Amino acid sequence: MLGTSTGFPFGDYAYLSGLGYKIAGLVPVTIPLSWFYLGLASYLLARTGLNSEQKPSWWRQLGAIALGALLLTSWDFVLDPAMSQTAAPFWEWETPGAFFGMPYQNFFGWFGTGAVFMTVAAILWSKKPFAKQDAYSTLTQDGSTTLTRDAYSTLTRSQLNLPLTVYLGNFAFATVMSLAAGIWIPVVLGLLLGVAPAVTLWWVTKPASASAALNLAVNTAAANLSSSEASRKTETPVASVGVAQK
């Protein structure tokens, strides 16, 4: 609501009636929802692709924030012309800009706001990361098992399928609308700065490994077998009842 009421940080614009109910008469309720799930998808792709959880460092964290903000901004390259310059626009710029009717301030606003979103996400997950550890059991000499854990592993490639699908699906929707209006330059920019990095981040993420699960199953079975044999050896025999010797 700050943007529509003050013009900061995106520029002077106003939403029309096509997106439904507006919060305080200013912002359609669908806008913050789309910001959240696209922002989250962008952050998950950037953070996991840069491996900032497994090998934490300030450079990786800052890189994930900047790259996530770039992915989010690249989506707007395609979205904004499709939603404001077509025959049935959903919002309008009070002072049209040089980039297909949009002021360049809009993109700086998107990147800055996206960076704030990514920073908040990084802080919230800094002490309670979403990554899961690979657990496996080790069979000790006495037949017992000890649960051990590998170094942190980030989300796997298959777990990033949903964030990537959300990102690409929304990008495709805006692309169809832009191309239908004859607007293709923003689509090319979005493909280069958004889709290509998103797919690359997904691809470089390690696929799920079955080694930890297999090791856990094998060692658990062996431990159960050893424990069963040990319990049989230590069982106290039942005293037999008979006639006392004379």
Side-chain angles (χ1 to χ4, degrees):
M1 291 187 289
L2 178 66
T4 52
S5 58
T6 67
F8 177 83
F10 307 104
D12 294 319
Y13 69 102
Y15 290 102
L16 302 179
S17 59
L19 294 176
Y21 173 77
K22 297 179 184 179
I23 302 173
L26 296 173
V27 180
V29 68
T30 54
I31 296 299
L33 291 177
S34 62
W35 261 91
F36 176 77
Y37 67 74
L38 257 297
L40 180 60
S42 300
Y43 179 69
L44 290 176
L45 288 166
R47 176 167 175 156
T48 307
L50 292 180
N51 212 13
S52 61
E53 185 64 53
Q54 189 173 15
K55 298 178 181 178
S57 69
W58 281 107
W59 289 109
R60 289 178 184 272
Q61 296 288 353
L62 291 176
I65 290 172
L67 189 53
L70 177 62
L71 294 179
L72 188 61
T73 304
S74 298
W75 173 54
D76 188 59
F77 283 150
V78 186
L79 176 71
D80 224 308
M83 302 295 275
S84 64
Q85 303 300 315
T86 56
F90 293 91
W91 59 77
E92 60 182 1
W93 294 96
E94 295 184 10
T95 305
F99 187 82
F100 295 90
M102 295 172 291
Y104 291 113
Q105 176 187 349
N106 176 59
F107 300 114
F108 289 105
W110 267 78
F111 187 88
T113 306
V116 172
F117 179 94
M118 310 298 163
T119 301
V120 171
I123 293 174
L124 292 177
W125 274 313
S126 61
K127 295 182 179 180
K128 189 177 180 181
F130 53 76
K132 295 181 179 180
Q133 292 175 315
D134 290 328
Y136 61 90
S137 60
T138 302
L139 186 62
T140 59
Q141 292 181 351
D142 61 355
S144 62
T145 56
T146 302
L147 185 63
T148 316
R149 292 188 181 272
D150 257 337
Y152 265 108
S153 61
T154 56
L155 297 176
T156 63
R157 186 185 300 167
S158 61
Q159 290 172 316
L160 284 182
N161 287 344
L162 179 58
L164 181 66
T165 301
V166 169
Y167 186 85
L168 295 181
N170 282 268
F171 188 93
F173 170 77
T175 296
V176 170
M177 294 186 65
S178 290
L179 293 179
I183 303 173
W184 60 271
I185 293 179
V187 174
V188 174
L189 287 176
L191 289 172
L192 293 176
L193 299 177
V195 172
V199 174
T200 301
L201 291 166
W202 170 82
W203 180 254
V204 299
T205 301
K206 294 180 179 180
S209 174
S211 59
L214 179 61
N215 186 44
L216 176 61
V218 170
N219 282 306
T220 300
N224 291 336
L225 180 60
S226 298
S227 299
S228 178
E229 292 178 352
S231 63
R232 283 200 298 268
K233 291 179 181 179
T234 57
E235 284 180 355
T236 304
V238 179
S240 58
V241 179
V243 180
Q245 297 182 356
K246 294 184 179 179

